Amino acid sequence: MASIEVPEVGRLVNVRGARWSVTDVSAQSLPRSSADDGRAELQHAVTLQSIEDDHYGRELTVIWELEPGRSVVREQGLPEHIDPSKFDNPSTFAAYVDALRWGALTSADPKTLQAPFRSSATVEDYQLEPLRRALESPRANMLLADDVGLGKTIEAGLVIQELLLRHRARSVIIVCPAGLQLKWQEETRDKFGLTFEIVNSETMKTFRRTFGVHANPFRVYPRVIVSMSWLPAPRAERMLEEVYASVKDAGTASRRAFDILVVDEAHHVAPATPGRGANDQKARYAIDSHRTVAVRRLAEACEHRLFLSATPHNGYTESFTALLEMIDQQRFARGADLDEQALREVAVRRLKRDLPKKGFLPRKVQTLAFEPTAGEAEAYERLIAFTKRRNAAVKQDRGKRATDLATLILKKRFFSSPVAFASTAEAYLAARGDDALDLPEYDDVLGEEAADEEEGRAEQPELEAL
């Protein structure tokens, strides 16, 4: 049986579909027993550093003899014979040189942009403002708080693409609600040509089969999308701990977990709204949720931070300043007085009425009166009577808040449609312990299809209230 070629330090190798440079080779102290393996042999731990654009600087250590699909790249010298017919057409070569010059120019001149011309999105002039600010700052830490429908996703995509093209960033992580993961993946692919991998409980099964049980998607993929509910889950935290440890290790080249962090619907990761005390006069402090803690820790290990939300302020200064502190801890501190000048430098906030030339129609609220039927009125009265009995039976403050939320949800579903109310009512009765009910799965009540613990389904406010 032919011996396996072990690469030397400085050689190029192909491992796991990418090209790496060998930085260290450590041989096993004693050979493996031939009684176990059929023949005695030494195994080698090979430390690699990626030279790919998307993984540049990332390190990986593998057991060379056990790594499937590995190969050593052979050295190739200059050609001995030149075939004139294989030269490029002069116009093609000139276009290549022009492209190199353009790329070099945009890397040096912040006023010359590439992203708007390399995307397939219809870019409006006002959407270039976040991109301009991002390039003028050493770190693109911004709160994109434009009104609904003004294209915050396109604004964030332009910033991401421009930073990647200028080599100011190589890795990106997007944190968003579970229902928006596919939307982000499709928009970044179709409009900006960027491939993002969704990391959740379902995709981890395929990932483990492809890369091995010990592989970490946060270290393999340069661009990933995770949901807010899955990020603080035990599995995600364990994998991120490995990334955080490599960032703190002085022996590695990586100093950031990810270069760019994007948080969509960022108001969901702000600390919970403070409640009232027993005398209903003094407000309590805002409480950090598991999402808040997870996103804050991730933000501390990222270089550029883009937080997107049309409603970032919930009316409580402490909660809002805590959100701003995640974006830029040099300018803001939780609970401190808000610096209006610093806020203007970080936040981008435009309403539709601020852009009259764009043709946005003004919003008009019109009341539509209707007369319920006798059956509808009777059903609503029965619902109100039921919720009053439940509210009277709950005496604890936390229980009352949960009951009020359950009542609000039931009323909203009642006015939505009979099917929506029936599904919510069945889930409500099941949560009370009625095991005799045979309930189907309702994604709109219980969230995405995945494990309850890992997807954070048990932390959803609707389920907790029910």
Side-chain angles (χ1 to χ4, degrees), residues 352-412:
K352 291 180 179 178
R353 63 172 177 265
D354 300 330
L355 305 170
K357 297 182 180 180
K358 297 302 176 182
F360 294 112
L361 298 178
R363 182 180 179 182
K364 296 181 180 180
V365 180
Q366 184 178 359
T367 302
L368 300 178
F370 75 99
E371 290 293 334
T373 64
E376 292 173 341
E378 180 185 359
Y380 183 71
E381 292 297 332
R382 292 173 62 185
L383 172 62
I384 295 301
F386 170 75
T387 55
K388 286 182 178 179
R389 291 196 303 270
R390 294 294 300 167
N391 292 345
V394 179
K395 296 182 180 180
Q396 297 181 356
D397 183 54
R398 177 180 173 85
K400 288 183 178 180
R401 293 198 302 271
T403 305
D404 291 341
L405 180 57
T407 301
L408 178 62
I409 294 172
L410 290 172
K411 288 181 178 179
K412 289 173 63 177

Side-chain angles (χ1 to χ4, degrees), residues 102-104 106-107 113-119 157-170 192 194 260:
W102 186 37
T106 53
S107 298
L113 307 177
Q114 294 186 65
F117 304 100
R118 295 202 180 191
S119 69
L158 290 172
V159 175
I160 293 172
Q161 190 176 44
E162 189 70 31
L163 292 178
L164 292 176
L165 291 172
R166 291 170 178 265
H167 304 287
R168 290 179 57 181
R170 296 185 182 275
F192 301 99
L194 300 175
I260 304 176

Side-chain angles (χ1 to χ4, degrees), residues 50-70:
S50 176
I51 61 173
E52 300 281 345
D53 288 341
D54 289 343
H55 301 262
Y56 190 79
R58 296 297 177 92
E59 292 188 348
L60 175 68
T61 301
V62 300
I63 304 299
W64 185 257
E65 286 76 9
L66 302 181
E67 183 67 24
R70 79 279 187 234

Side-chain angles (χ1 to χ4, degrees), residues 36 48 71 121 124 127 138 143 183 190 219 226 285 323 357 368 377 386 395 445:
D36 296 332
L48 310 171
S71 63
E124 300 290 345
Q127 293 174 337
L143 172 64
K183 172 180 177 292
D190 298 341
R219 304 191 70 177
V226 297
Y285 288 106
L323 182 65
K357 297 182 180 180
L368 300 178
F386 170 75
K395 296 182 180 180
V445 177

Side-chain angles (χ1 to χ4, degrees), residues 4-8 11-28 42-50 58-72 210-216 219-220 242:
I4 299 176
E5 180 185 3
V6 179
E8 299 176 355
R11 294 291 297 274
L12 296 180
V13 297
N14 291 319
V15 173
R16 301 182 184 180
R19 184 157 293 190
W20 308 74
S21 174
V22 178
T23 58
D24 183 65
V25 178
S26 299
Q28 185 178 341
L42 287 174
Q43 291 184 348
H44 298 78
V46 180
T47 302
L48 310 171
Q49 190 171 54
S50 176
R58 296 297 177 92
E59 292 188 348
L60 175 68
T61 301
V62 300
I63 304 299
W64 185 257
E65 286 76 9
L66 302 181
E67 183 67 24
R70 79 279 187 234
S71 63
V72 180
T210 304
F211 296 97
V213 294
H214 298 295
N216 189 336
R219 304 191 70 177
V220 173
E242 180 182 344

Side-chain angles (χ1 to χ4, degrees), residues 64-239:
W64 185 257
E65 286 76 9
L66 302 181
E67 183 67 24
R70 79 279 187 234
S71 63
V72 180
V73 179
R74 302 298 177 187
E75 295 183 1
Q76 297 179 354
L78 295 175
E80 298 179 359
H81 303 284
I82 299 177
D83 186 356
S85 64
K86 294 184 178 180
F87 278 92
D88 288 333
N89 183 281
S91 60
T92 303
F93 182 72
Y96 171 72
V97 174
D98 289 341
L100 290 179
R101 290 174 177 171
W102 186 37
L105 174 63
T106 53
S107 298
D109 184 6
K111 295 183 179 180
T112 304
L113 307 177
Q114 294 186 65
F117 304 100
R118 295 202 180 191
S119 69
S120 61
T122 302
V123 181
E124 300 290 345
D125 52 358
Y126 66 87
Q127 293 174 337
L128 297 176
E129 175 63 16
L131 180 57
R132 181 190 67 82
R133 292 197 192 183
L135 297 181
E136 290 181 350
S137 305
R139 291 186 179 91
N141 297 334
M142 290 189 297
L143 172 64
L144 304 183
D146 281 345
D147 202 355
V148 177
L150 294 186
K152 293 186 292 295
T153 303
I154 294 179
E155 294 173 353
L158 290 172
V159 175
I160 293 172
Q161 190 176 44
E162 189 70 31
L163 292 178
L164 292 176
L165 291 172
R166 291 170 178 265
H167 304 287
R168 290 179 57 181
R170 296 185 182 275
S171 57
V172 188
I173 181 171
I174 297 176
V175 180
C176 63
L180 298 179
Q181 287 178 296
L182 285 176
K183 172 180 177 292
W184 270 98
Q185 187 183 46
E186 293 173 355
E187 294 226 354
T188 52
R189 179 192 62 216
D190 298 341
K191 295 182 178 178
F192 301 99
L194 300 175
T195 301
F196 279 80
E197 300 292 339
I198 296 177
V199 181
N200 56 27
S201 302
E202 191 63 30
T203 59
M204 281 300 299
K205 300 176 184 177
T206 305
F207 176 81
R208 297 295 193 195
R209 288 194 295 266
T210 304
F211 296 97
V213 294
H214 298 295
N216 189 336
F218 294 120
R219 304 191 70 177
V220 173
Y221 297 133
R223 296 184 289 270
V224 297
I225 301 174
V226 297
S227 69
M228 293 178 177
S229 56
W230 193 76
L231 183 66
R235 175 183 284 186
E237 284 296 309
R238 285 194 300 268
M239 293 187 297

